[in-house]
Amino acid sequence: MSDHENQYCTSKVAPKDFVSGWVVALIIASTGLSVSTLFLGSEIALALGFEKALIAFGVSTLVLTLMCMATTLIGNRSRLSTYMILHFSFGEKGAKIVNFIFGVTLVGWFAVALELLAIAIFDTTISTFAIEIPKSLIIIVTSLFITITTVYGIRSIEKVANISIPILTAFLGYVFYLSLEKLESPWQLFDYVPAENSMTLFEATSILVGASILFPVLMADFSRFIKTDKQSLGAVLGLTIGTPLAYILSAAPSIQTGEVDIIKIMEQYHMVIPAFLLLFISTWSTNATNLYSASLTFTTIHKKWTFKKVTIVSSIFGTLLAMLGFATYLFDFLEFLGIFAPSISSIYFIHFFWVKNQQYHLDEIRPWEATALISWGLSSVICIFTYLEVFQLTGAYFIDSFLLGGLFYLIPNRKKIFNKKP
């Protein structure tokens, strides 16, 4: 099988397969317009009120954007997937540990999106057609569409994103307009006060960072295909603009209706069928991205595993998780990511730019890189304590993770970094 057909799982992307930055920006933006993202925007707006929710949306987006700007350049300059990049900083065997965790995490996201969409479709068919379709059947059929798309790689995902993003954005914008039209003034949104304080601003921000924390780590999977540095930085706008826009477009209708379920919201606007179709398309695009990254991860664990076979197996596993109700653990799952993922970004950022001077050669990968593994382990243990509020550092455990991972890795590598000959 050629590198192209195997999505360059273990090799550098060839120039013939480079794409423009806007293509990747659309793919990234499509992940923001998913059922799970709209659900988060609604939940946080109803829990905090619109004003505090906007602060949470803004702070989380700023943190993630800054991290993505660093890691997108690594992918663009190395032309390698995230999982091959991790081979350099963590070693071939060490990277398998990290990659396995990422792979399982991405399959978990795949399962959550499948389950939330199945719930939405289930509610739609009952309320609109008085027909009850088993959720397990909905999950299986939806998973099949997504898997077929993913098997054909990034070009296939791009085509779905090109269709879904403009249409879904326009639709959500129209619903946002209708929700404002029912208010005497748009400023009434800011007057909403939650019935009970079920969530703090910090908790909301942490959940939002956790929801997208894999973006900085996995940005290289997509930026490795982009033609230039400048375009790869521009692709980050898919997250910077797309994700908070999705949160806001879902927050206003939820405050106006008091509902979190997007289908129930649409019922009040008499647009259940259009909402159902668009949510299906958006989840198709988003989950193809999740499955694509998960499959890339697992192919680096065992080089004889082909991309297509791994995609199918990962899809089956994610489908089973969805059928078992994995979405119940969504918020705990997101907070878990905020502990373990940020430090990996800072470690491989330092390794690429300062330890290796932006030069990665596949024949230089070693079996183990103990420094990176120890740094990751130490930062993760400390962040578990800051998450549990045994003690505090910056006050935000996901920032603790990023800074501590980088600091612990920087100290033993200081001579390599600072004593280089000009």
Side-chain angles (χ1 to χ4, degrees), residues 194-206:
E196 56 182 38
N197 295 321
S198 59
M199 188 183 296
T200 66
L201 179 59
F202 173 70
E203 287 171 342
T205 305
S206 300

Side-chain angles (χ1 to χ4, degrees), residues 4-7 9 110 114 142-160 222 224 283-297 306-315:
H4 168 75
E5 290 175 328
N6 210 32
Q7 293 301 300
C9 293
F110 176 81
L114 274 182
T142 307
S143 177
L144 184 62
F145 275 97
I146 295 166
T147 304
I148 292 171
T149 302
T150 308
V151 160
Y152 291 99
I154 195 167
R155 294 285 186 180
S156 179
I157 298 171
E158 171 202 339
K159 290 175 182 177
V160 176
F222 303 100
R224 64 193 175 124
T283 303
W284 184 359
S285 175
T286 301
N287 247 8
T289 303
N290 289 331
L291 188 58
Y292 177 79
S293 290
S295 302
L296 284 177
T297 309
T306 64
F307 178 79
K308 289 184 179 180
K309 289 180 180 178
V310 169
T311 299
I312 294 168
V313 173
S314 299
S315 172

Side-chain angles (χ1 to χ4, degrees), residues 297-372:
T297 309
F298 290 128
T299 53
T300 62
I301 294 174
H302 197 297
K303 292 182 179 179
K304 290 185 179 180
W305 296 347
T306 64
F307 178 79
K308 289 184 179 180
K309 289 180 180 178
V310 169
T311 299
I312 294 168
V313 173
S314 299
S315 172
I316 292 171
F317 182 62
T319 302
L320 290 173
L321 281 179
M323 293 169 69
L324 292 171
F326 186 72
T328 305
Y329 308 100
L330 176 60
F331 284 175
D332 293 335
F333 175 61
L334 296 181
E335 290 178 340
F336 168 83
L337 290 182
I339 295 171
F340 293 98
S343 55
I344 294 172
S345 295
S346 58
I347 289 168
Y348 87 68
F349 174 79
I350 291 171
H351 185 266
F352 180 76
F353 283 103
W354 294 334
V355 175
K356 299 298 289 184
N357 286 329
Q358 305 182 50
Q359 296 295 320
Y360 277 170
H361 302 287
L362 293 172
D363 58 354
E364 294 178 355
I365 297 173
R366 300 196 299 184
W368 293 98
E369 293 288 352
T371 305

